[in-house]
Amino acid sequence: MGERAITAARPHPVDAAELSSLIEACRAGDALAWETFVRQYQGRLFALAYSYVGNREDARDLAQEIFVKLYEVRVQWVAGDEFLPWVFRVARNRSIDFLRRRKVRTPALAVDEHDLADLADQSPSAEAQSITADRRSLLRAALRSLSAINREIVVLRDVHGLSIQHVASMLGIPAGTVKSRASRARVELAERVLALTRDRGEA
Amino acid sequence: MSANACDLCRARILADEPVAAHLEDCADCRAWHEAYRAGVEVWRGEEIDAFADGVLVRTSMLDALIAELPSLVEMDPGPGFTERVLLHTSKKPATAIWRDRWLALVRRPRFAWEAAYVATLCWVLIFGNPVAALEWGTSRVSAIARERVTGTVSRIQADLDTWQVRLVLDSSAEAGGDAPPATRVAGALERAWRAGSAWIGRIFTPIVEALTEAFKQMAEWFSGAAPQARPPSDTEPAGTPVRSPQ
């Protein structure tokens, strides 16, 4: 069930050859390639940063720090399928440093009002667009209400589509634990979504 | 039900057999099992329709959720984000980087407040309270000059007069004739002492006067540059606030 859905709707699929050439150009110091990389991945890394810090302003700062770090270590970039997990590992480490430094605690059920104005949607009508934005806002709120480890597993596994092995390696826990936790986290998330839907419906 | 357990597992679950080992590895069965356990109480109450609806809602919700989660993969970081990143990662010469940093510092709204604070701090640290200090310094220098120089000369003069009177009296008490050698020596000493005192006075008095004058001028200059609140005068009436007519 999970694999089907995860691999189906991944936005902006990047061709492997195109990504490899982009990585090589960035490693060689090509400014244009770097700008292309930033434009191509800023949405993903910003979303990842947002899942850690829970508000847009901090997420912007954190995403910027992640890009600066990636730029500083660009000669170490790994090509191929390992690139994205490696980028996410760097991003996760920077996020942890960021949270330690600023002692940010993610609010349990705080909903960023900017979520409601999520403009990345491509739906045709304004009504459909609003519904989608509301739905995303609700999903993000439900995600933030999960425990840190469950949220991280769902974000890395179900949102960003990393493999079980990559998530396990990144979090430093066995693959079996990731699988069972992911399953539990999905059920927990579904219950939170149901509860939030009921609350918003009543309100 | 869209989240179906495999037939073997379903049979085991329904037969109430332990399936923990299988549930460890099979996410679908695990989801089904969770839904089953959540609704089992309802099942026992023989409300089969409610149980089936509950399972259906949970499993369909889970399916929908799994399909929706990838839509959160990207978020718009807002305008200007790319430029910010490129600004921090571009290879600029050091002067340009420092210029940009300086401009960014200066363009902040609170820069004027910070600059004024730092300037005031420096001014106070270097000059203290300049007007009051200089006014105090002027009067103090004058007092010290008067006390040390003039007072010392006066004391020495008084000592010399006393000494001379005693020498004259002692010499008068002896037999007449020319003055004794002691009196002559005392006279010479007195003249030398007077000459030395006059010389010291000539040397130090202009210096003290010049210093005093300089302090006075500086005090006047500072008073003109930064006027202080005038102390209340004894001849002026007390400043009683008066209400304006209504």
Side-chain angles (χ1 to χ4, degrees), chain A residues 25-129:
Chain A
C26 286
R27 288 173 66 172
D30 184 345
L32 198 60
W34 169 246
E35 185 176 344
T36 306
F37 175 80
V38 172
R39 291 189 188 281
Q40 203 156 15
Y41 282 88
Q42 63 183 10
R44 291 192 79 155
L45 291 181
F46 178 71
L48 185 70
Y50 184 87
S51 73
Y52 279 103
V53 295
N55 69 77
R56 291 183 67 90
E57 283 308 308
D58 283 344
R60 275 170 71 94
D61 291 343
L62 175 56
Q64 180 182 310
E65 281 188 23
I66 292 169
F67 274 113
V68 170
K69 181 66 181 175
L70 287 172
Y71 183 80
E72 286 170 357
V73 297
R74 62 190 183 281
V75 292
Q76 302 170 18
W77 284 14
V78 290
D81 294 340
E82 294 297 315
F83 176 68
L84 201 58
W86 180 81
V87 167
F88 275 55
R89 190 186 296 270
V90 171
R92 180 173 182 269
N93 290 338
R94 296 304 293 183
S95 303
I96 291 169
D97 290 346
F98 186 90
L99 289 174
R100 278 184 188 152
R101 201 169 57 240
R102 297 204 175 177
K103 304 216 181 298
V104 170
R105 293 186 184 278
T106 309
L109 271 172
V111 179
D112 195 332
E113 60 183 13
H114 290 91
D115 287 352
L116 301 175
D118 193 338
L119 301 176
D121 185 43
Q122 301 297 318
S123 301
S125 70
E127 188 184 5
Q129 194 173 33

Side-chain angles (χ1 to χ4, degrees), chain B residues 6-205:
Chain B
C6 64
D7 291 338
L8 173 66
C9 191
R10 194 184 313 173
R12 283 182 173 175
I13 291 171
L14 292 174
D16 209 16
E17 288 182 17
V19 289
H22 181 72
L23 289 180
E24 281 289 328
D25 297 319
C26 181
D28 290 350
C29 287
R30 204 162 36 247
W32 194 89
H33 187 235
E34 291 283 344
Y36 171 79
R37 288 181 59 187
V40 73
E41 292 303 322
V42 185
W43 174 283
R44 284 176 182 162
E46 296 183 353
E47 296 178 11
I48 187 69
D49 289 341
F51 167 68
D53 287 350
V55 172
L56 193 63
V57 165
R58 285 168 186 276
T59 50
S60 60
M61 164 67 72
L62 209 55
D63 268 354
L65 193 66
I66 300 290
E68 279 176 330
L69 280 175
S71 70
L72 302 180
V73 73
E74 287 197 340
M75 276 179 76
D76 182 13
F81 179 77
T82 313
E83 288 70 25
R84 263 177 67 181
V85 171
L86 294 177
L87 182 70
H88 283 82
T89 53
S90 58
K91 289 178 182 174
K92 286 184 174 178
T95 52
I97 291 172
W98 282 109
R99 191 192 62 208
D100 289 346
R101 285 181 183 172
W102 169 248
L103 287 177
L105 188 73
V106 168
R107 284 171 184 161
R108 287 178 313 138
R110 61 185 176 198
F111 177 77
W113 184 88
E114 290 168 350
Y117 177 78
V118 171
T120 306
L121 202 64
C122 291
W123 178 266
V124 170
L125 283 176
I126 293 171
F127 296 107
N129 187 350
V131 178
L134 286 177
E135 282 179 346
W136 175 87
T138 308
S139 58
R140 189 75 186 136
V141 166
S142 301
I144 289 171
R146 255 185 257 109
E147 183 185 352
R148 296 285 170 84
V149 179
T150 315
T152 305
V153 171
S154 302
R155 277 197 301 275
I156 292 170
Q157 183 64 51
D159 290 345
L160 281 175
D161 290 344
T162 306
W163 190 24
Q164 187 182 17
V165 169
R166 285 179 62 188
L167 284 174
V168 169
L169 287 176
D170 289 346
S171 61
S172 302
E174 294 176 357
D178 289 340
T183 305
R184 287 201 301 274
V185 171
L189 277 173
E190 182 201 350
R191 282 193 300 276
W193 194 253
R194 284 181 187 277
S197 301
W199 181 80
I200 290 171
R202 279 199 307 275
I203 294 296
F204 280 101
T205 303

